mmCIF file of all heavy atoms in Angstrom:
data_model
loop_
_atom_site.group_PDB
_atom_site.id
_atom_site.type_symbol
_atom_site.label_atom_id
_atom_site.label_comp_id
_atom_site.label_asym_id
_atom_site.label_seq_id
_atom_site.Cartn_x
_atom_site.Cartn_y
_atom_site.Cartn_z
ATOM 1 N N LEU C 17 30.067 39.711 36.366
ATOM 2 C CA LEU C 17 31.412 39.446 36.784
ATOM 3 C C LEU C 17 32.147 38.538 35.825
ATOM 4 O O LEU C 17 33.260 38.821 35.398
ATOM 5 C CB LEU C 17 31.378 38.834 38.237
ATOM 6 C CG LEU C 17 32.723 38.392 38.757
ATOM 7 C CD1 LEU C 17 33.664 39.643 38.886
ATOM 8 C CD2 LEU C 17 32.606 37.707 40.096
ATOM 9 N N SER C 18 31.486 37.418 35.456
ATOM 10 C CA SER C 18 32.218 36.533 34.600
ATOM 11 C C SER C 18 32.389 37.130 33.239
ATOM 12 O O SER C 18 33.465 36.890 32.566
ATOM 13 C CB SER C 18 31.462 35.160 34.508
ATOM 14 O OG SER C 18 30.156 35.345 34.165
ATOM 15 N N THR C 19 31.437 37.871 32.732
ATOM 16 C CA THR C 19 31.641 38.580 31.440
ATOM 17 C C THR C 19 32.870 39.483 31.540
ATOM 18 O O THR C 19 33.697 39.552 30.619
ATOM 19 C CB THR C 19 30.453 39.409 31.092
ATOM 20 O OG1 THR C 19 29.320 38.572 31.214
ATOM 21 C CG2 THR C 19 30.510 39.934 29.667
ATOM 22 N N LEU C 20 32.961 40.216 32.633
ATOM 23 C CA LEU C 20 34.112 41.172 32.839
ATOM 24 C C LEU C 20 35.359 40.451 32.827
ATOM 25 O O LEU C 20 36.350 40.791 32.120
ATOM 26 C CB LEU C 20 33.862 41.933 34.120
ATOM 27 C CG LEU C 20 34.724 43.164 34.352
ATOM 28 C CD1 LEU C 20 34.538 44.130 33.148
ATOM 29 C CD2 LEU C 20 34.381 43.845 35.604
ATOM 30 N N LEU C 21 35.466 39.314 33.592
ATOM 31 C CA LEU C 21 36.657 38.511 33.682
ATOM 32 C C LEU C 21 37.034 37.940 32.258
ATOM 33 O O LEU C 21 38.181 38.001 31.876
ATOM 34 C CB LEU C 21 36.515 37.371 34.632
ATOM 35 C CG LEU C 21 36.594 37.706 36.133
ATOM 36 C CD1 LEU C 21 36.277 36.470 36.945
ATOM 37 C CD2 LEU C 21 37.970 38.258 36.455
ATOM 38 N N PHE C 22 36.065 37.544 31.584
ATOM 39 C CA PHE C 22 36.289 36.961 30.253
ATOM 40 C C PHE C 22 36.866 38.045 29.304
ATOM 41 O O PHE C 22 37.831 37.792 28.629
ATOM 42 C CB PHE C 22 34.983 36.512 29.620
ATOM 43 C CG PHE C 22 35.111 35.752 28.348
ATOM 44 C CD1 PHE C 22 35.459 34.409 28.322
ATOM 45 C CD2 PHE C 22 34.945 36.372 27.108
ATOM 46 C CE1 PHE C 22 35.592 33.695 27.115
ATOM 47 C CE2 PHE C 22 35.122 35.750 25.944
ATOM 48 C CZ PHE C 22 35.416 34.428 25.963
ATOM 49 N N SER C 23 36.265 39.261 29.380
ATOM 50 C CA SER C 23 36.764 40.330 28.541
ATOM 51 C C SER C 23 38.189 40.700 28.880
ATOM 52 O O SER C 23 39.004 40.986 27.994
ATOM 53 C CB SER C 23 35.871 41.561 28.683
ATOM 54 O OG SER C 23 34.592 41.216 28.270
ATOM 55 N N ILE C 24 38.469 40.732 30.217
ATOM 56 C CA ILE C 24 39.880 41.034 30.613
ATOM 57 C C ILE C 24 40.831 39.978 30.054
ATOM 58 O O ILE C 24 41.885 40.344 29.498
ATOM 59 C CB ILE C 24 39.938 41.020 32.160
ATOM 60 C CG1 ILE C 24 39.197 42.216 32.722
ATOM 61 C CG2 ILE C 24 41.422 41.092 32.590
ATOM 62 C CD1 ILE C 24 39.005 42.227 34.192
ATOM 63 N N GLY C 25 40.363 38.730 30.074
ATOM 64 C CA GLY C 25 41.194 37.702 29.456
ATOM 65 C C GLY C 25 41.445 37.947 27.976
ATOM 66 O O GLY C 25 42.576 37.832 27.480
ATOM 67 N N VAL C 26 40.406 38.353 27.257
ATOM 68 C CA VAL C 26 40.549 38.612 25.853
ATOM 69 C C VAL C 26 41.445 39.721 25.589
ATOM 70 O O VAL C 26 42.409 39.681 24.769
ATOM 71 C CB VAL C 26 39.140 38.916 25.228
ATOM 72 C CG1 VAL C 26 39.285 39.390 23.823
ATOM 73 C CG2 VAL C 26 38.295 37.651 25.228
ATOM 74 N N VAL C 27 41.333 40.804 26.392
ATOM 75 C CA VAL C 27 42.191 41.952 26.216
ATOM 76 C C VAL C 27 43.631 41.556 26.442
ATOM 77 O O VAL C 27 44.583 41.943 25.675
ATOM 78 C CB VAL C 27 41.795 43.100 27.247
ATOM 79 C CG1 VAL C 27 42.885 44.144 27.274
ATOM 80 C CG2 VAL C 27 40.451 43.663 26.844
ATOM 81 N N GLY C 28 43.818 40.699 27.435
ATOM 82 C CA GLY C 28 45.234 40.232 27.749
ATOM 83 C C GLY C 28 45.804 39.471 26.546
ATOM 84 O O GLY C 28 46.917 39.692 26.128
ATOM 85 N N VAL C 29 44.969 38.614 25.985
ATOM 86 C CA VAL C 29 45.416 37.826 24.822
ATOM 87 C C VAL C 29 45.878 38.794 23.690
ATOM 88 O O VAL C 29 46.850 38.586 23.006
ATOM 89 C CB VAL C 29 44.396 36.819 24.370
ATOM 90 C CG1 VAL C 29 44.719 36.236 23.005
ATOM 91 C CG2 VAL C 29 44.211 35.713 25.371
ATOM 92 N N LEU C 30 45.041 39.784 23.484
ATOM 93 C CA LEU C 30 45.298 40.712 22.426
ATOM 94 C C LEU C 30 46.464 41.661 22.680
ATOM 95 O O LEU C 30 47.186 42.017 21.754
ATOM 96 C CB LEU C 30 44.058 41.565 22.108
ATOM 97 C CG LEU C 30 42.828 40.778 21.579
ATOM 98 C CD1 LEU C 30 41.671 41.782 21.400
ATOM 99 C CD2 LEU C 30 43.162 40.178 20.252
ATOM 100 N N LEU C 31 46.623 41.964 23.919
ATOM 101 C CA LEU C 31 47.619 42.987 24.292
ATOM 102 C C LEU C 31 48.997 42.441 24.442
ATOM 103 O O LEU C 31 49.967 43.116 24.039
ATOM 104 C CB LEU C 31 47.160 43.515 25.687
ATOM 105 C CG LEU C 31 47.418 44.982 25.938
ATOM 106 C CD1 LEU C 31 46.735 45.818 24.872
ATOM 107 C CD2 LEU C 31 46.883 45.390 27.313
ATOM 108 N N ARG C 32 49.152 41.307 24.974
ATOM 109 C CA ARG C 32 50.518 40.836 25.316
ATOM 110 C C ARG C 32 51.129 40.000 24.211
ATOM 111 O O ARG C 32 50.371 39.387 23.364
ATOM 112 C CB ARG C 32 50.457 39.953 26.596
ATOM 113 C CG ARG C 32 49.848 40.666 27.786
ATOM 114 C CD ARG C 32 50.578 41.907 28.203
ATOM 115 N NE ARG C 32 51.982 41.584 28.581
ATOM 116 C CZ ARG C 32 52.357 41.532 29.842
ATOM 117 N NH1 ARG C 32 51.503 41.779 30.832
ATOM 118 N NH2 ARG C 32 53.600 41.253 30.161
ATOM 119 N N ARG C 33 52.457 39.969 24.192
ATOM 120 C CA ARG C 33 53.103 39.144 23.185
ATOM 121 C C ARG C 33 53.778 37.970 23.770
ATOM 122 O O ARG C 33 54.224 37.069 23.011
ATOM 123 C CB ARG C 33 54.168 40.048 22.405
ATOM 124 C CG ARG C 33 53.519 41.031 21.565
ATOM 125 C CD ARG C 33 54.476 42.128 21.080
ATOM 126 N NE ARG C 33 55.568 41.538 20.301
ATOM 127 C CZ ARG C 33 56.601 42.219 19.827
ATOM 128 N NH1 ARG C 33 56.670 43.532 20.123
ATOM 129 N NH2 ARG C 33 57.517 41.653 19.115
ATOM 130 N N ASN C 34 53.902 37.935 25.033
ATOM 131 C CA ASN C 34 54.555 36.779 25.644
ATOM 132 C C ASN C 34 53.549 35.615 25.716
ATOM 133 O O ASN C 34 52.475 35.683 26.270
ATOM 134 C CB ASN C 34 54.968 37.168 27.115
ATOM 135 C CG ASN C 34 55.834 36.074 27.727
ATOM 136 O OD1 ASN C 34 55.737 34.942 27.387
ATOM 137 N ND2 ASN C 34 56.731 36.502 28.630
ATOM 138 N N ALA C 35 53.971 34.527 25.188
ATOM 139 C CA ALA C 35 53.040 33.383 25.069
ATOM 140 C C ALA C 35 52.607 32.837 26.431
ATOM 141 O O ALA C 35 51.466 32.402 26.597
ATOM 142 C CB ALA C 35 53.757 32.237 24.260
ATOM 143 N N ILE C 36 53.463 32.957 27.436
ATOM 144 C CA ILE C 36 53.104 32.419 28.772
ATOM 145 C C ILE C 36 51.962 33.283 29.299
ATOM 146 O O ILE C 36 51.005 32.780 29.887
ATOM 147 C CB ILE C 36 54.282 32.445 29.702
ATOM 148 C CG1 ILE C 36 55.261 31.341 29.237
ATOM 149 C CG2 ILE C 36 53.877 32.175 31.153
ATOM 150 C CD1 ILE C 36 56.334 31.028 30.178
ATOM 151 N N ILE C 37 52.100 34.602 29.167
ATOM 152 C CA ILE C 37 51.051 35.488 29.684
ATOM 153 C C ILE C 37 49.730 35.226 28.940
ATOM 154 O O ILE C 37 48.675 35.148 29.508
ATOM 155 C CB ILE C 37 51.425 36.988 29.436
ATOM 156 C CG1 ILE C 37 52.807 37.267 29.983
ATOM 157 C CG2 ILE C 37 50.391 37.894 30.033
ATOM 158 C CD1 ILE C 37 52.890 37.437 31.471
ATOM 159 N N ILE C 38 49.853 35.005 27.678
ATOM 160 C CA ILE C 38 48.639 34.652 26.859
ATOM 161 C C ILE C 38 48.010 33.404 27.376
ATOM 162 O O ILE C 38 46.816 33.280 27.596
ATOM 163 C CB ILE C 38 49.005 34.551 25.364
ATOM 164 C CG1 ILE C 38 49.312 35.901 24.812
ATOM 165 C CG2 ILE C 38 47.876 33.829 24.604
ATOM 166 C CD1 ILE C 38 49.761 35.927 23.430
ATOM 167 N N LEU C 39 48.809 32.396 27.722
ATOM 168 C CA LEU C 39 48.325 31.189 28.326
ATOM 169 C C LEU C 39 47.573 31.455 29.589
ATOM 170 O O LEU C 39 46.477 30.893 29.855
ATOM 171 C CB LEU C 39 49.486 30.236 28.560
ATOM 172 C CG LEU C 39 49.271 28.729 28.351
ATOM 173 C CD1 LEU C 39 48.755 28.470 26.960
ATOM 174 C CD2 LEU C 39 50.536 27.940 28.550
ATOM 175 N N MET C 40 48.128 32.388 30.375
ATOM 176 C CA MET C 40 47.525 32.704 31.674
ATOM 177 C C MET C 40 46.187 33.437 31.423
ATOM 178 O O MET C 40 45.169 33.155 32.129
ATOM 179 C CB MET C 40 48.438 33.582 32.526
ATOM 180 C CG MET C 40 49.623 32.806 33.074
ATOM 181 S SD MET C 40 50.436 33.735 34.331
ATOM 182 C CE MET C 40 51.720 34.515 33.458
ATOM 183 N N CYS C 41 46.147 34.303 30.472
ATOM 184 C CA CYS C 41 44.899 34.965 30.128
ATOM 185 C C CYS C 41 43.822 33.971 29.686
ATOM 186 O O CYS C 41 42.651 34.123 29.981
ATOM 187 C CB CYS C 41 45.146 36.021 29.017
ATOM 188 S SG CYS C 41 46.103 37.401 29.614
ATOM 189 N N ILE C 42 44.271 32.954 28.972
ATOM 190 C CA ILE C 42 43.284 31.903 28.596
ATOM 191 C C ILE C 42 42.747 31.253 29.799
ATOM 192 O O ILE C 42 41.544 30.935 29.896
ATOM 193 C CB ILE C 42 43.981 30.898 27.611
ATOM 194 C CG1 ILE C 42 44.260 31.597 26.262
ATOM 195 C CG2 ILE C 42 43.082 29.752 27.393
ATOM 196 C CD1 ILE C 42 45.091 30.812 25.313
ATOM 197 N N GLU C 43 43.610 31.028 30.829
ATOM 198 C CA GLU C 43 43.122 30.438 32.086
ATOM 199 C C GLU C 43 42.082 31.325 32.745
ATOM 200 O O GLU C 43 41.100 30.812 33.294
ATOM 201 C CB GLU C 43 44.306 30.219 33.037
ATOM 202 C CG GLU C 43 45.323 29.181 32.594
ATOM 203 C CD GLU C 43 44.706 27.798 32.418
ATOM 204 O OE1 GLU C 43 43.861 27.457 33.246
ATOM 205 O OE2 GLU C 43 45.051 27.155 31.398
ATOM 206 N N ILE C 44 42.318 32.612 32.642
ATOM 207 C CA ILE C 44 41.322 33.569 33.270
ATOM 208 C C ILE C 44 39.966 33.361 32.527
ATOM 209 O O ILE C 44 38.951 33.274 33.184
ATOM 210 C CB ILE C 44 41.788 34.978 33.142
ATOM 211 C CG1 ILE C 44 43.006 35.228 34.056
ATOM 212 C CG2 ILE C 44 40.635 35.953 33.537
ATOM 213 C CD1 ILE C 44 43.568 36.661 34.004
ATOM 214 N N MET C 45 40.047 33.300 31.222
ATOM 215 C CA MET C 45 38.835 33.185 30.449
ATOM 216 C C MET C 45 38.106 31.869 30.822
ATOM 217 O O MET C 45 36.870 31.808 31.001
ATOM 218 C CB MET C 45 39.118 33.149 28.907
ATOM 219 C CG MET C 45 39.409 34.588 28.417
ATOM 220 S SD MET C 45 40.503 34.558 26.957
ATOM 221 C CE MET C 45 39.371 34.125 25.727
ATOM 222 N N LEU C 46 38.917 30.779 30.898
ATOM 223 C CA LEU C 46 38.288 29.493 31.269
ATOM 224 C C LEU C 46 37.611 29.569 32.604
ATOM 225 O O LEU C 46 36.449 29.111 32.806
ATOM 226 C CB LEU C 46 39.400 28.416 31.299
ATOM 227 C CG LEU C 46 39.742 27.732 30.032
ATOM 228 C CD1 LEU C 46 41.038 26.932 30.167
ATOM 229 C CD2 LEU C 46 38.612 26.850 29.567
ATOM 230 N N ASN C 47 38.310 30.233 33.538
ATOM 231 C CA ASN C 47 37.705 30.319 34.902
ATOM 232 C C ASN C 47 36.482 31.184 34.910
ATOM 233 O O ASN C 47 35.580 30.932 35.756
ATOM 234 C CB ASN C 47 38.801 30.841 35.883
ATOM 235 C CG ASN C 47 39.646 29.667 36.394
ATOM 236 O OD1 ASN C 47 39.111 28.929 37.254
ATOM 237 N ND2 ASN C 47 40.743 29.461 35.872
ATOM 238 N N SER C 48 36.437 32.248 34.088
ATOM 239 C CA SER C 48 35.228 33.026 34.101
ATOM 240 C C SER C 48 34.001 32.150 33.717
ATOM 241 O O SER C 48 32.925 32.264 34.247
ATOM 242 C CB SER C 48 35.412 34.233 33.156
ATOM 243 O OG SER C 48 35.267 33.800 31.831
ATOM 244 N N VAL C 49 34.290 31.317 32.734
ATOM 245 C CA VAL C 49 33.193 30.434 32.284
ATOM 246 C C VAL C 49 32.844 29.449 33.373
ATOM 247 O O VAL C 49 31.670 29.175 33.614
ATOM 248 C CB VAL C 49 33.582 29.697 30.962
ATOM 249 C CG1 VAL C 49 32.521 28.721 30.549
ATOM 250 C CG2 VAL C 49 33.806 30.712 29.843
ATOM 251 N N ASN C 50 33.873 28.927 34.023
ATOM 252 C CA ASN C 50 33.597 28.000 35.152
ATOM 253 C C ASN C 50 32.684 28.664 36.218
ATOM 254 O O ASN C 50 31.724 28.058 36.736
ATOM 255 C CB ASN C 50 34.909 27.605 35.842
ATOM 256 C CG ASN C 50 35.609 26.558 35.017
ATOM 257 O OD1 ASN C 50 35.063 26.017 34.060
ATOM 258 N ND2 ASN C 50 36.838 26.178 35.437
ATOM 259 N N LEU C 51 33.020 29.926 36.494
ATOM 260 C CA LEU C 51 32.304 30.640 37.537
ATOM 261 C C LEU C 51 30.832 30.757 37.089
ATOM 262 O O LEU C 51 29.920 30.527 37.903
ATOM 263 C CB LEU C 51 32.926 32.045 37.682
ATOM 264 C CG LEU C 51 32.335 32.943 38.761
ATOM 265 C CD1 LEU C 51 32.399 32.275 40.097
ATOM 266 C CD2 LEU C 51 33.018 34.304 38.770
#
Side-chain angles (χ1 to χ4, degrees):
Chain C
L17 176 63
S18 50
T19 310
L20 194 57
L21 282 176
F22 187 84
S23 302
I24 292 170
V26 170
V27 170
V29 168
L30 294 177
L31 213 57
R32 304 299 298 258
R33 289 166 63 184
N34 190 333
I36 290 191
I37 309 282
I38 288 176
L39 216 54
M40 287 194 267
C41 291
I42 291 171
E43 294 300 322
I44 292 178
M45 285 152 79
L46 275 169
N47 273 283
S48 78
V49 176
N50 281 355
L51 182 60

